[in-house]
Amino acid sequence: MDAKIALRDFLVSRRTRLHPGDVGLPAHGPRRVPGLRREEVAALAAVSVDHYIRLERGNASLVSDAVLHAVADALRLSPGERRYLRDLARPERHEPAPAEPAPAKGPQPQAAPRVRPSVRRLLDTLEGSPAYLVGRDGSVLAWNRLATRVFVDFGEYPVERRTIGWIVFTDPRARTLYLDWESKAHETVAYLRTVTGRWPYDRELARHVAELRAASPDFDRIWTELPILDTTHATCRLRGPEAGMTLELSWETFQLTDNTEEIMVAYTAAEGSPTAAVLRELARADRPSGHGDGQQ
């Protein structure tokens, strides 16, 4: 991903979503295009118009942190959006630059990622909570038995397609599993948009996004809306294992290892709720774990 283009698109999208009245400015009649003008953002941020225009064009190398904070305040950015702005303005370069030869198109067969045995054991101890470990691009690296009963058997997917994005947008079962599929879809895109801001030079991540945009019109539609992940916890409603059954779950994310790219997602139900009872029954069921590749 080109960080300069992403920075431009992000700032334009956040500028155009605001109306003058939202920030205490007079409207002065109808506007040809929606949102604030560049000079209005500059005035709110107390920077010169030229300075802001350079930033919106993606030229952030000479922009101070103080200016970034001021622009974020002017645009009423959320905490997650502020982090995304900083990531784009100060991109990490741990990945090879895109000028290097591009890898072959299409998904390539991959070896199962290695997960520490202690992490595997920790997931397995969560007998009453569906849980899985995800990597940078949403790859499902490891999971426990209950996760395969509540969601899908992740072991059914080839390693290169075992990602939350691919499952949510290309597996028809996801649209019936998530009772608010549109919300889950936005959450998934927001996660990928956020991590591409942090690692804009990751070619594999960029290829994953490009494949999803080509494979799913819904993914492409939501991607162009530039959603940014703003939470590490939320709730979701799933279709239960029996007809007419609804599971109401809360999820939290945890960083288990010193690898900041690996995050555990664990789901719980309120004590004494019907969902908690269903999870206990599923956990007691004697069913193969479906660990699949990457679980050893």
Side-chain angles (χ1 to χ4, degrees):
M1 182 180 72
D2 189 315
K4 287 188 175 183
I5 294 176
L7 177 58
R8 178 201 66 194
D9 292 346
F10 176 68
L11 288 174
V12 170
S13 73
R14 271 37 184 185
R15 175 167 59 81
T16 56
R17 76 179 179 183
L18 290 175
H19 300 288
D22 297 334
V23 294
L25 295 176
H28 295 308
R31 299 187 171 209
R32 290 181 300 173
V33 294
L36 298 180
R37 299 186 176 101
R38 292 183 180 90
E39 56 268 25
E40 291 172 332
V41 177
L44 290 168
V47 301
S48 71
V49 176
D50 288 344
H51 206 55
Y52 176 75
I53 290 176
R54 284 196 296 271
L55 177 61
E56 194 172 281
R57 288 175 177 172
N59 299 319
S61 59
L62 299 179
V63 174
S64 68
D65 289 345
V67 169
L68 289 178
H69 288 312
V71 169
D73 288 342
L75 294 175
R76 306 295 195 265
L77 299 187
S78 68
E81 291 171 330
R82 287 171 179 268
R83 289 190 293 270
Y84 184 71
L85 172 61
R86 180 170 177 80
D87 286 340
L88 292 176
R90 307 285 189 265
E92 298 208 21
R93 290 186 173 273
H94 298 318
E95 315 301 331
E100 296 186 6
K105 294 182 178 180
Q108 304 299 305
Q110 299 176 13
R114 298 295 299 175
V115 176
R116 285 210 309 262
S118 59
V119 175
R120 270 286 336 124
R121 291 193 297 271
L122 179 58
L123 285 169
D124 287 339
T125 62
L126 301 176
E127 294 183 354
S129 298
Y132 48 79
L133 185 74
V134 296
R136 177 186 295 191
D137 62 352
S139 298
V140 184
L141 307 177
W143 56 92
N144 63 10
R145 177 178 301 184
L146 192 54
T148 68
R149 303 293 304 274
V150 172
F151 298 103
V152 295
D153 188 343
F154 298 109
E156 294 178 355
Y157 300 88
V159 175
E160 62 273 12
R161 292 304 194 202
R162 193 183 297 151
T163 73
I164 298 300
W166 201 257
I167 293 169
V168 168
F169 285 96
T170 70
D171 190 333
R173 292 176 294 181
R175 293 179 183 263
T176 56
L177 172 65
Y178 294 98
L179 296 182
D180 188 354
W181 180 86
E182 190 73 17
S183 175
K184 179 61 179 179
H186 274 81
E187 172 195 306
T188 302
V189 176
Y191 169 79
L192 287 171
R193 173 66 79 170
T194 301
V195 295
T196 56
R198 186 173 183 185
W199 291 290
Y201 300 108
D202 184 331
R203 296 196 304 269
E204 290 298 323
L205 182 58
R207 182 166 65 186
H208 180 56
V209 169
E211 290 172 354
L212 281 170
R213 295 188 72 177
S216 169
D218 284 315
F219 183 94
D220 188 60
R221 167 179 58 85
I222 300 172
W223 182 262
T224 60
E225 297 172 5
L226 280 77
I228 303 299
L229 192 65
D230 237 328
T231 185
T232 57
H233 57 88
T235 60
C236 66
R237 298 171 65 249
L238 305 176
R239 192 176 304 278
E242 296 181 7
M245 180 183 294
T246 297
L247 302 181
E248 298 185 354
L249 298 168
S250 299
W251 57 265
E252 299 276 351
T253 59
F254 308 88
Q255 184 180 329
L256 290 184
T257 71
D258 55 0
N259 185 348
T260 59
E261 302 173 23
E262 294 182 355
I263 300 295
M264 185 182 77
V265 186
Y267 294 78
T268 60
E271 187 64 31
S273 66
T275 298
V278 172
L279 292 182
R280 284 194 296 271
E281 288 298 320
L282 291 175
R284 282 198 291 263
D286 183 18
R287 178 178 174 178
S289 65
H291 280 354
D293 295 336
Q295 299 301 293
Q296 305 303 321

PDB file of all heavy atoms in Angstrom, residues 111-129:
ATOM      1  N   ALA A 111       3.323 -22.983   4.510  1.00  0.00           N
ATOM      2  CA  ALA A 111       3.508 -23.906   5.610  1.00  0.00           C
ATOM      3  C   ALA A 111       2.726 -23.395   6.810  1.00  0.00           C
ATOM      4  O   ALA A 111       2.521 -22.202   6.972  1.00  0.00           O
ATOM      5  CB  ALA A 111       4.987 -24.021   5.953  1.00  0.00           C
ATOM      6  N   ALA A 112       2.267 -24.320   7.639  1.00  0.00           N
ATOM      7  CA  ALA A 112       1.528 -23.911   8.827  1.00  0.00           C
ATOM      8  C   ALA A 112       2.434 -23.115   9.757  1.00  0.00           C
ATOM      9  O   ALA A 112       3.582 -23.481   9.983  1.00  0.00           O
ATOM     10  CB  ALA A 112       1.003 -25.157   9.554  1.00  0.00           C
ATOM     11  N   PRO A 113       1.955 -21.979  10.266  1.00  0.00           N
ATOM     12  CA  PRO A 113       2.772 -21.166  11.163  1.00  0.00           C
ATOM     13  C   PRO A 113       3.037 -21.895  12.468  1.00  0.00           C
ATOM     14  O   PRO A 113       2.221 -22.695  12.934  1.00  0.00           O
ATOM     15  CB  PRO A 113       1.915 -19.915  11.381  1.00  0.00           C
ATOM     16  CG  PRO A 113       0.524 -20.377  11.152  1.00  0.00           C
ATOM     17  CD  PRO A 113       0.605 -21.429  10.081  1.00  0.00           C
ATOM     18  N   ARG A 114       4.159 -21.610  13.068  1.00  0.00           N
ATOM     19  CA  ARG A 114       4.516 -22.204  14.340  1.00  0.00           C
ATOM     20  C   ARG A 114       3.910 -21.403  15.483  1.00  0.00           C
ATOM     21  O   ARG A 114       3.991 -20.188  15.505  1.00  0.00           O
ATOM     22  CB  ARG A 114       6.032 -22.258  14.495  1.00  0.00           C
ATOM     23  CG  ARG A 114       6.735 -23.111  13.450  1.00  0.00           C
ATOM     24  CD  ARG A 114       6.370 -24.580  13.555  1.00  0.00           C
ATOM     25  NE  ARG A 114       6.748 -25.139  14.846  1.00  0.00           N
ATOM     26  CZ  ARG A 114       6.455 -26.387  15.231  1.00  0.00           C
ATOM     27  NH1 ARG A 114       5.733 -27.159  14.423  1.00  0.00           N
ATOM     28  NH2 ARG A 114       6.854 -26.822  16.395  1.00  0.00           N
ATOM     29  N   VAL A 115       3.278 -22.100  16.384  1.00  0.00           N
ATOM     30  CA  VAL A 115       2.703 -21.479  17.574  1.00  0.00           C
ATOM     31  C   VAL A 115       3.329 -22.155  18.784  1.00  0.00           C
ATOM     32  O   VAL A 115       3.418 -23.380  18.836  1.00  0.00           O
ATOM     33  CB  VAL A 115       1.168 -21.634  17.601  1.00  0.00           C
ATOM     34  CG1 VAL A 115       0.590 -21.079  18.890  1.00  0.00           C
ATOM     35  CG2 VAL A 115       0.546 -20.954  16.395  1.00  0.00           C
ATOM     36  N   ARG A 116       3.773 -21.354  19.742  1.00  0.00           N
ATOM     37  CA  ARG A 116       4.424 -21.916  20.915  1.00  0.00           C
ATOM     38  C   ARG A 116       3.519 -22.911  21.621  1.00  0.00           C
ATOM     39  O   ARG A 116       2.312 -22.660  21.796  1.00  0.00           O
ATOM     40  CB  ARG A 116       4.820 -20.810  21.894  1.00  0.00           C
ATOM     41  CG  ARG A 116       6.014 -20.009  21.472  1.00  0.00           C
ATOM     42  CD  ARG A 116       6.782 -19.490  22.676  1.00  0.00           C
ATOM     43  NE  ARG A 116       5.962 -18.803  23.656  1.00  0.00           N
ATOM     44  CZ  ARG A 116       5.834 -17.485  23.732  1.00  0.00           C
ATOM     45  NH1 ARG A 116       6.485 -16.713  22.870  1.00  0.00           N
ATOM     46  NH2 ARG A 116       5.081 -16.931  24.653  1.00  0.00           N
ATOM     47  N   PRO A 117       4.046 -24.059  22.058  1.00  0.00           N
ATOM     48  CA  PRO A 117       3.212 -25.042  22.773  1.00  0.00           C
ATOM     49  C   PRO A 117       2.497 -24.453  23.981  1.00  0.00           C
ATOM     50  O   PRO A 117       1.364 -24.826  24.277  1.00  0.00           O
ATOM     51  CB  PRO A 117       4.234 -26.105  23.191  1.00  0.00           C
ATOM     52  CG  PRO A 117       5.319 -26.012  22.170  1.00  0.00           C
ATOM     53  CD  PRO A 117       5.418 -24.557  21.832  1.00  0.00           C
ATOM     54  N   SER A 118       3.143 -23.512  24.672  1.00  0.00           N
ATOM     55  CA  SER A 118       2.504 -22.914  25.851  1.00  0.00           C
ATOM     56  C   SER A 118       1.266 -22.110  25.450  1.00  0.00           C
ATOM     57  O   SER A 118       0.279 -22.067  26.203  1.00  0.00           O
ATOM     58  CB  SER A 118       3.503 -22.031  26.602  1.00  0.00           C
ATOM     59  OG  SER A 118       3.989 -20.995  25.757  1.00  0.00           O
ATOM     60  N   VAL A 119       1.309 -21.465  24.276  1.00  0.00           N
ATOM     61  CA  VAL A 119       0.143 -20.727  23.788  1.00  0.00           C
ATOM     62  C   VAL A 119      -0.963 -21.696  23.428  1.00  0.00           C
ATOM     63  O   VAL A 119      -2.140 -21.466  23.729  1.00  0.00           O
ATOM     64  CB  VAL A 119       0.522 -19.844  22.588  1.00  0.00           C
ATOM     65  CG1 VAL A 119      -0.711 -19.161  21.988  1.00  0.00           C
ATOM     66  CG2 VAL A 119       1.548 -18.791  23.007  1.00  0.00           C
ATOM     67  N   ARG A 120      -0.585 -22.820  22.796  1.00  0.00           N
ATOM     68  CA  ARG A 120      -1.571 -23.854  22.478  1.00  0.00           C
ATOM     69  C   ARG A 120      -2.257 -24.355  23.732  1.00  0.00           C
ATOM     70  O   ARG A 120      -3.479 -24.501  23.788  1.00  0.00           O
ATOM     71  CB  ARG A 120      -0.878 -25.046  21.793  1.00  0.00           C
ATOM     72  CG  ARG A 120      -0.767 -25.021  20.336  1.00  0.00           C
ATOM     73  CD  ARG A 120      -2.006 -25.292  19.531  1.00  0.00           C
ATOM     74  NE  ARG A 120      -3.066 -26.059  20.132  1.00  0.00           N
ATOM     75  CZ  ARG A 120      -4.294 -25.614  20.241  1.00  0.00           C
ATOM     76  NH1 ARG A 120      -4.618 -24.415  19.838  1.00  0.00           N
ATOM     77  NH2 ARG A 120      -5.225 -26.372  20.748  1.00  0.00           N
ATOM     78  N   ARG A 121      -1.438 -24.602  24.776  1.00  0.00           N
ATOM     79  CA  ARG A 121      -2.013 -25.123  26.020  1.00  0.00           C
ATOM     80  C   ARG A 121      -2.948 -24.102  26.658  1.00  0.00           C
ATOM     81  O   ARG A 121      -3.993 -24.465  27.214  1.00  0.00           O
ATOM     82  CB  ARG A 121      -0.897 -25.525  26.990  1.00  0.00           C
ATOM     83  CG  ARG A 121      -0.105 -26.747  26.544  1.00  0.00           C
ATOM     84  CD  ARG A 121       0.769 -27.282  27.672  1.00  0.00           C
ATOM     85  NE  ARG A 121       1.790 -26.324  28.096  1.00  0.00           N
ATOM     86  CZ  ARG A 121       3.005 -26.248  27.550  1.00  0.00           C
ATOM     87  NH1 ARG A 121       3.339 -27.072  26.567  1.00  0.00           N
ATOM     88  NH2 ARG A 121       3.882 -25.374  27.992  1.00  0.00           N
ATOM     89  N   LEU A 122      -2.566 -22.833  26.579  1.00  0.00           N
ATOM     90  CA  LEU A 122      -3.418 -21.793  27.156  1.00  0.00           C
ATOM     91  C   LEU A 122      -4.768 -21.753  26.454  1.00  0.00           C
ATOM     92  O   LEU A 122      -5.818 -21.657  27.104  1.00  0.00           O
ATOM     93  CB  LEU A 122      -2.726 -20.433  27.046  1.00  0.00           C
ATOM     94  CG  LEU A 122      -3.506 -19.239  27.589  1.00  0.00           C
ATOM     95  CD1 LEU A 122      -3.851 -19.434  29.054  1.00  0.00           C
ATOM     96  CD2 LEU A 122      -2.716 -17.947  27.391  1.00  0.00           C
ATOM     97  N   LEU A 123      -4.770 -21.821  25.127  1.00  0.00           N
ATOM     98  CA  LEU A 123      -6.034 -21.850  24.400  1.00  0.00           C
ATOM     99  C   LEU A 123      -6.876 -23.053  24.813  1.00  0.00           C
ATOM    100  O   LEU A 123      -8.100 -22.951  24.996  1.00  0.00           O
ATOM    101  CB  LEU A 123      -5.773 -21.889  22.886  1.00  0.00           C
ATOM    102  CG  LEU A 123      -5.315 -20.584  22.232  1.00  0.00           C
ATOM    103  CD1 LEU A 123      -4.840 -20.854  20.809  1.00  0.00           C
ATOM    104  CD2 LEU A 123      -6.427 -19.546  22.230  1.00  0.00           C
ATOM    105  N   ASP A 124      -6.218 -24.207  24.988  1.00  0.00           N
ATOM    106  CA  ASP A 124      -6.952 -25.422  25.336  1.00  0.00           C
ATOM    107  C   ASP A 124      -7.536 -25.379  26.741  1.00  0.00           C
ATOM    108  O   ASP A 124      -8.519 -26.071  27.035  1.00  0.00           O
ATOM    109  CB  ASP A 124      -6.041 -26.637  25.192  1.00  0.00           C
ATOM    110  CG  ASP A 124      -5.766 -26.993  23.736  1.00  0.00           C
ATOM    111  OD1 ASP A 124      -6.562 -26.570  22.871  1.00  0.00           O
ATOM    112  OD2 ASP A 124      -4.766 -27.674  23.464  1.00  0.00           O
ATOM    113  N   THR A 125      -6.926 -24.582  27.629  1.00  0.00           N
ATOM    114  CA  THR A 125      -7.473 -24.488  28.982  1.00  0.00           C
ATOM    115  C   THR A 125      -8.758 -23.681  29.031  1.00  0.00           C
ATOM    116  O   THR A 125      -9.514 -23.791  30.001  1.00  0.00           O
ATOM    117  CB  THR A 125      -6.449 -23.845  29.946  1.00  0.00           C
ATOM    118  OG1 THR A 125      -6.164 -22.507  29.513  1.00  0.00           O
ATOM    119  CG2 THR A 125      -5.175 -24.658  30.011  1.00  0.00           C
ATOM    120  N   LEU A 126      -9.032 -22.900  28.005  1.00  0.00           N
ATOM    121  CA  LEU A 126     -10.252 -22.085  27.972  1.00  0.00           C
ATOM    122  C   LEU A 126     -11.418 -22.934  27.487  1.00  0.00           C
ATOM    123  O   LEU A 126     -12.013 -22.682  26.435  1.00  0.00           O
ATOM    124  CB  LEU A 126     -10.047 -20.861  27.078  1.00  0.00           C
ATOM    125  CG  LEU A 126      -8.912 -19.923  27.474  1.00  0.00           C
ATOM    126  CD1 LEU A 126      -8.755 -18.809  26.439  1.00  0.00           C
ATOM    127  CD2 LEU A 126      -9.165 -19.329  28.858  1.00  0.00           C
ATOM    128  N   GLU A 127     -11.762 -23.947  28.262  1.00  0.00           N
ATOM    129  CA  GLU A 127     -12.759 -24.918  27.811  1.00  0.00           C
ATOM    130  C   GLU A 127     -14.145 -24.308  27.653  1.00  0.00           C
ATOM    131  O   GLU A 127     -14.940 -24.761  26.839  1.00  0.00           O
ATOM    132  CB  GLU A 127     -12.808 -26.084  28.792  1.00  0.00           C
ATOM    133  CG  GLU A 127     -11.528 -26.907  28.828  1.00  0.00           C
ATOM    134  CD  GLU A 127     -11.644 -28.086  29.760  1.00  0.00           C
ATOM    135  OE1 GLU A 127     -12.685 -28.191  30.453  1.00  0.00           O
ATOM    136  OE2 GLU A 127     -10.706 -28.901  29.801  1.00  0.00           O
ATOM    137  N   GLY A 128     -14.454 -23.276  28.423  1.00  0.00           N
ATOM    138  CA  GLY A 128     -15.775 -22.674  28.332  1.00  0.00           C
ATOM    139  C   GLY A 128     -15.837 -21.434  27.470  1.00  0.00           C
ATOM    140  O   GLY A 128     -16.892 -20.790  27.391  1.00  0.00           O
ATOM    141  N   SER A 129     -14.715 -21.092  26.813  1.00  0.00           N
ATOM    142  CA  SER A 129     -14.662 -19.886  25.994  1.00  0.00           C
ATOM    143  C   SER A 129     -14.088 -20.201  24.621  1.00  0.00           C
ATOM    144  O   SER A 129     -12.942 -20.655  24.534  1.00  0.00           O
ATOM    145  CB  SER A 129     -13.794 -18.805  26.663  1.00  0.00           C
ATOM    146  OG  SER A 129     -14.338 -18.408  27.898  1.00  0.00           O
TER     147      SER A 129
END
